[in-house]
Amino acid sequence: MKSLQVTMVYYTALIAICSSGESMPRVVPLFLSTLMLLVFLSGCSVNPVTGKSEFSLMSAEQEVAIGASNYAPSQQSQGGRYIIDPEVQAYVSGVGKKLAAVSDRPDLPYEFVVLNNSVPNAWALPGGKIAINRGLLVQLEDESQLAAVLAHEIVHAAARHSAAQMTRGTLMSIGAAAVGVAGSNYGLGEMGSQMAQMGAAAWMAKYGRSAELESDAYGMDYMARAGYDPSGAVKLQKTFVKLSEGRQQDFLSGLFASHPPSQERVDANRIKAATLPKGVINRELYQRKIAQLKRDEPAYKAQEAAMKALSADNPKAALSELDKAIAIQPNDGYFWELRGHAWAMQENMSNAEQAFTTAIGKNPDYFSHHLSRGLLRFEEGKKTAARSDLEKSYQLLPTPYAGYYLGEIALENGDQKNAINYFQSAAQGAGEMAKKAQARLAVLELATAPHKYILSQLSLTDDGYLRVTVKNNSPVTVTNVKLQVTEMVNAYIAGGSSTMNGPRQLSPGQQVSMKTSIGPFTDGNDAARYRIQVSSVEVAE
């Protein structure tokens, strides 16, 4: 406990010193060892945008690597790239690169994509990987507002906000652990840990608001350098505030959680804009570039209605809405995928598969189309064809659904190694499919390594005999538990090993204690020589 507290004090001092901007000669005396100084030098860095000294546990190279590895799956999980009008992608990318070139980190590997997502939002990953949803593009009025959005996201990347947030989150986890232990020691128990976690969340939330204001301000500088009118940032925030009022509250609920609009930001942007030169607005050009999106808005409204109908178990109404959507825009694969789901709900599997196939033809690079057809084919017993679809979906985005069913197919083919790998991947997710994968994985691993799930521990009874406690941490019921008891001396097996019967049945989470015939012991050191491990179990039918 004491060492953890010292660590926290040390890291807190590092953050304070880095943030103070003190020169190294004044900082060095605060550290009493060469080791601490080396850690300080590796942790302190200068924010490329603000010029302030900051503490970071992530290098610039790590930032770029994280952004690059997460960019494609992040796009897949949020609708995939918008491909109906490639000119929109080129236009947004052009504006973004123009702004990136005048940023404080122009050498980052910037990328800009438009996602096929109706939610009005934009985001940036570390290293300059940026996305904007088509749902936000239709809310903007001109190119200066688009520039405001992209410049804001560029600042997030250039100012290393993700690195700072991850560092702060890491330190908060350490702090939460320390306070949680302290709370437990002083009788607060689990409540102490919860309080620590709440404190961490509050700090992270405050940091987010600070970063947003910083991104607004420096983003407007980038706009001015690139020749854009900074008033676009003012109009952008005014639009968001208006949308968040009254009936539009649900419209923004959860959508701008990472970019909360406020009058504070409007006022700050207005003051900042007054200090910058006027520039390009480009309203007509912008409206011309997003004309296809505007024409297709009714189609996406019909899609939303179709999704609500499917949720209400009304596939006929969904098909009616999707007919409207496809009549307006026949090339969006997701409209066809939803048709497939509607047909499947009506048990017309032939039409469903045909619709999924059409969706894949419209957009072969979107995971969900392949996943939908793969699941349908699996249920229809077409395992070979299902495997091909599921593998393609898994390559694009390794979801629990694809992982689970690929595991089932591998198991049927006698490929237990790959089955375990797929189930392990699926088990990392959330929801019912992850739980099914966890159960499948447990059944497979209980046969070869039962001790991973069925935990055992030795203790002494009041009369000096060994007591064994066995707990089932697996998600399945097990029977006929066998235990191996070994006597050790100086890390060597001394008295050999023996097998004993454990509980006849253990439900998930159940714990049972049993007195053994080993003993009696008058010296606890003698009892400490024994080791126990679950050697085998059977899975209940």
Side-chain angles (χ1 to χ4, degrees), residues 202-457:
W203 190 2
M204 293 289 285
K206 183 176 182 180
Y207 167 82
R209 290 193 293 271
S210 173
E212 288 302 292
L213 291 170
E214 187 172 283
S215 291
D216 283 348
Y218 288 98
M220 294 171 75
D221 286 335
Y222 293 176
M223 291 175 66
R225 293 179 200 172
Y228 288 107
D229 196 317
S231 65
V234 181
K235 291 184 288 184
L236 177 69
Q237 286 304 316
K238 289 177 68 175
T239 297
F240 289 166
V241 169
K242 183 177 180 181
L243 288 171
S244 68
E245 295 173 349
R247 296 180 180 179
Q248 296 294 339
Q249 183 61 46
D250 290 339
F251 175 73
L252 286 177
S253 178
L255 308 184
F256 284 91
S258 60
H259 304 284
S262 67
Q263 188 61 43
E264 176 191 14
R265 292 177 67 180
V266 174
D267 295 339
N269 284 3
R270 184 181 291 112
I271 293 170
K272 176 76 174 181
T275 68
L276 297 171
K278 299 295 184 182
V280 172
I281 293 177
N282 278 348
R283 177 184 173 84
E284 291 184 5
L285 174 62
Y286 181 81
Q287 291 298 326
R288 188 163 66 248
K289 293 294 185 180
I290 67 162
Q292 185 67 58
L293 289 174
K294 287 288 190 179
R295 287 194 294 270
D296 291 344
E297 274 196 281
Y300 293 110
K301 292 292 184 183
Q303 172 193 309
E304 292 176 12
M307 293 172 70
K308 289 181 180 179
L310 289 174
S311 297
D313 198 22
N314 190 348
K316 289 185 178 180
L319 285 171
S320 177
E321 293 295 337
L322 291 167
D323 285 342
K324 300 175 188 177
I326 290 171
I328 298 169
Q329 179 48 263
N331 293 320
D332 193 309
Y334 199 58
F335 297 163
W336 294 95
E337 181 186 323
L338 290 175
R339 282 182 68 86
H341 292 304
W343 285 119
M345 288 178 70
Q346 297 185 86
E347 300 185 359
N348 189 331
M349 302 309 176
S350 176
N351 279 6
E353 183 168 344
Q354 185 177 348
F356 291 145
T357 300
T358 301
I360 292 171
K362 299 294 183 182
N363 188 357
D365 296 322
Y366 186 46
F367 86 99
S368 186
H369 305 336
H370 296 279
L371 178 62
S372 296
R373 191 174 71 175
L375 295 179
L376 179 73
R377 286 175 166 177
F378 184 94
E379 294 299 326
E380 291 287 285
K382 305 173 184 177
K383 301 298 176 64
T384 301
R387 177 181 176 179
S388 178
D389 282 335
L390 292 170
E391 285 178 339
K392 178 62 176 178
S393 175
Y394 192 85
Q395 290 168 6
L396 293 168
L397 185 68
T399 60
Y401 273 91
Y404 177 82
Y405 285 101
L406 283 170
E408 290 284 5
I409 292 172
L411 208 54
E412 287 186 18
N413 293 335
D415 188 355
Q416 183 165 317
K417 181 179 179 181
N418 271 330
I420 288 176
N421 288 337
Y422 281 125
F423 288 137
Q424 285 177 335
S425 173
Q428 300 305 310
E432 289 301 315
M433 196 52 59
K435 291 180 181 178
K436 289 181 67 175
Q438 291 162 10
R440 267 302 203 183
L441 185 62
V443 170
L444 291 173
E445 293 190 322
L446 280 169
T448 57
H451 58 278
K452 288 180 61 176
Y453 295 90
I454 314 302
L455 308 183
S456 56
Q457 185 178 19

Side-chain angles (χ1 to χ4, degrees), residues 440-520:
R440 267 302 203 183
L441 185 62
V443 170
L444 291 173
E445 293 190 322
L446 280 169
T448 57
H451 58 278
K452 288 180 61 176
Y453 295 90
I454 314 302
L455 308 183
S456 56
Q457 185 178 19
L458 288 174
S459 59
L460 276 180
T461 61
D462 292 339
D463 54 357
Y465 285 87
L466 285 182
R467 177 197 296 116
V468 58
T469 301
V470 184
K471 183 177 181 182
N472 182 3
N473 273 358
S474 82
V476 297
T477 298
V478 297
T479 60
N480 298 324
V481 179
K482 302 293 183 183
L483 301 160
Q484 185 177 46
V485 182
T486 306
E487 184 180 1
M488 310 289 291
V489 175
N490 296 328
Y492 293 98
I493 297 177
S497 297
S498 61
T499 299
M500 63 178 292
N501 293 324
R504 296 191 62 182
Q505 179 170 306
L506 278 176
S507 301
Q510 185 179 4
Q511 178 174 300
V512 172
S513 293
M514 303 168 52
K515 181 179 178 180
T516 74
S517 60
I518 303 174

